[in-house]
Amino acid sequence: MREVEMSTKYDPTAVEAGRYQDWLDNDLFAPEANQAIQGQEPEPYSVVIPPPNVTGKLHLGHAWDTTLQDMLIRQKRMQGFDTLWLPGMDHAGIATQAKVEQRLRDQGVSRYDLGREKFVEQVWDWKNEYASTIKQQWGKMGLSLDYSRERFTLDEGLNQAVNKVFIDLYNKGLIYRGEYIINWDPQARTALSDIEVIYQDDEGAFYHVKYPFTDGTTLNGKDYIEIATTRPETMFGDVAVAVHPSDERYKDLIGKTVKVPLVNREIPIIADEYVEKDFGTGMVKITPAHDPNDFQVGNRHDLERINTMTEDAHLNENAGKYVGLDRFEGRKAMVADLQEQGFMLEVEPLVHSVGHSERTGVQIESRLSTQWFVKMEPLAKQILAMQQNADEKVNFVPGRFEDTFTRWMENIRDWVISRQLWWGHQIPAWYKNKGTDQEEMYVGTEAPGADWERDPDVLDTWFSSALWPFSTMGWPNDLDGDYAKYYPTNTLVTGYDIIFFWVARMMFQGKEFTGERPFKNVLIHGLIRDGEGRKMSKSLGNGVDPMDVIEKYGADALRWFLATGSTPGQDVRFTYEKMDAAWNFINKIWNVARYVIMNLDDDTKAEVPAKDQQTLADQWILDRLNATVKEVSENFEKFEFGEAGRDLYNFIWSDLADWYVEMTKESLNGDGDKTAVQQTLASVLDQTLRLLQPIMPFVSEAIWQEMPQQKGKDEHLGIQAYPVYQESLANAEAAASFKSLQDLIVAVRNIRAEAKAPMSKPINVIIKVTDPALKSIFNENADYIDRFVKPESLTIDMDVTVPQLAMSQVITGAEVYVPLAGLIDIEAEISRLQGEADKFQKEVARANGKLSNEKFVNSAPEKVVAAEREKLADWEEKLASTQKRIADLQAQG
């Protein structure tokens, strides 16, 4: 045996040390380097990383997302594609600003104390700190990113793209500025889009309040109407009470007026179809500055808009004596006064769904505000039309998510894109005489003259992220370089939670500005959950740092778990038991590889020996490897990584380790020529490592470098050719013959187990074959039978005398007998065989039922029907043999 430097146990720390830096030093991830190595002009394949926010460290969700992308890129690189995986990060406007503001608050400072310029400097410092951490984590994961093309959503090139898009959409009439009710985050003091609002159940109340008539009118004998509200603090913004125009109860009240309690302002009762007659009293107060539906009612009736709150959700001068109070403090004070003054009829506790800011977690306010909007309907129609064209559409995987996407696009609302932040792309709009009757506005990158003031707001983070696939490629300034070669990109990998935030917006911006889809495929994965199925969160304390997992188990074990843990679109549950299993699998690979490498000569080549030099086991393992190559490749193409993982696991653990490696010990320990089996071992290991490389880049390369033909060479596995299916290696005859040999070995082992006869106990094995070819196969491979079942004597023939007392099993084409006089009970053996016969009988009945079904026989493919008939014949033969054996034993009893 050769001496090898491989440890007896897989040590991920040793395997991974320095390897990523070696890949970077050799520039293996740049497309140009790959082309030079392959020596050809390959087809481009590109992926842009979903840019992580520079708000903190990466979590397991990021690790999952990037592992899937890296697998795709590594496989395509090995398949000879011109691969680009472009890295970058997102400035994450509101999220990052919130983090920095919190840090400043802890220091007793606010952004207003610093001013815009110095505050933005603080945010850049934060960005540089966390961007460095993220890149270190990318390295720990082994991600094959081309850092020479790294981008940031606030860099100069992307800012030019953002400005062009904004100005062009404005000039097309697709961006407009207007006063509307928007979602408002009072902590961050900024507008939010609809999908940045998270709804959760909060405890609250319905406050039933009297609104007195002003002219002595009565309703049901009362001089007031009853209005229910969950938000008394907005009452100072009430400008009307509305009823449905066809509500007979209130038709005589339309045009009357009532007083708003605590402020005594007179407001009219109006009729509007917005009101639901059957909900509550059928009367609602209208507060146009604090409710989006009321805003629309107010527009229809030309009602005043009275805002009662400041930007940070304190009551303003329109709230009378409550001015300056926080919204919730104001509510308590108003409720107390309403009760004291006799206006409160009832306080009805309830739990209701309330919107909260996705970023800061505070309750949002519906607030009247002047904002910038994108007119979405024309852009959405363009995308929906694109999705009807098979050559242009984005393919969703799994396909069900396209239905989700389509429904959202069909019901889309205009997108509020302005944010009242300092960190982000400042809106390219300018004002002169702002706030006066002579106000002028200009949209462009530079002011049109002196005395023009720039809009202080910035754009929603997703506005710049929506341009990511093409703005990172040089658009709009350089259309001949990366943009021409790598756009549209091939595959986007992302979670289902940001289909609306990001995927949809990339699609409509990509189509509008490049005329093409931004990516051909979008692979949707789920969320990482804990072992109990709960979403990981700080509040639950169930989060897992991927770097901690890597430190304990290694990056490859984490990647294996993430790659194979679920099907597309499904969530995955993380447990340390699964990580133990992943490590154990890699340790198995390591030990198999160590055995192989120790048994190779220094000049052994990883090549398939001539067929006439191959044993049946050699032919079988090459056929199984070839089939695995096909299965893995096909499953990668379908993004079924879990299935690809199962293909690899079954091949490596069962076929290679449990069977072939054990069988090679006969040849390797004997005196004959070992060259053919050594070459087969080397070839199978080499190809297996190539299949594993996209999923387990560290350990696969570490092992590959230890192989004799690679050791000492300045080459890397990640740029070698990926295995391809070879028709010449497909060997159905060898597969069938070896299957018979396996069935025989398993049958005898089962008999030993049932008889509690360990391998050390001598047994005689008698095999009665019905097929002459099978007799030859078993005789030619008697050495394997000896090694695996340890018979004292072995008889293989078509005509044998069956011993009176023996355990038996029926396999396809043969009956296996082990005489065990004195070791078993005849009645127990008959009972066991009867169980076997019952099983065979059920299979015969099932197959007969299927074949007697005319619909199946006439409509199923001919190959399927033929296969079913073969199965029936096989089960019938096994049933007949088992029944005969039962009859023989019963006769002896």
Side-chain angles (χ1 to χ4, degrees), residues 36 53 418-419 463 478 616 628 684 692 722 854 870:
N53 296 344
S418 44
R419 298 291 182 270
F463 191 91
D478 180 9
L616 173 62
T628 303
V684 170
L692 286 169
Y722 195 76
E854 290 185 12
E870 285 181 17

Side-chain angles (χ1 to χ4, degrees), residues 2 4 590-601 656 660-661 664 668 677-678 680-686 707-708:
R2 295 170 67 247
V4 296
W590 183 266
N591 287 327
V592 168
R594 189 171 182 272
Y595 164 83
V596 171
I597 294 169
M598 287 172 65
N599 282 285
L600 302 181
D601 294 333
L656 181 56
Y660 183 67
V661 162
T664 62
L668 294 173
V677 71
Q678 287 175 316
T680 303
L681 276 169
S683 176
V684 170
L685 178 59
D686 172 82
M707 294 181 70

Side-chain angles (χ1 to χ4, degrees), residues 32-47:
E32 295 82 1
N34 190 40
Q35 288 180 62
I37 293 163
Q38 299 291 346
Q40 57 184 325
E41 285 295 330
E43 181 183 344
Y45 190 96
S46 60
V47 172

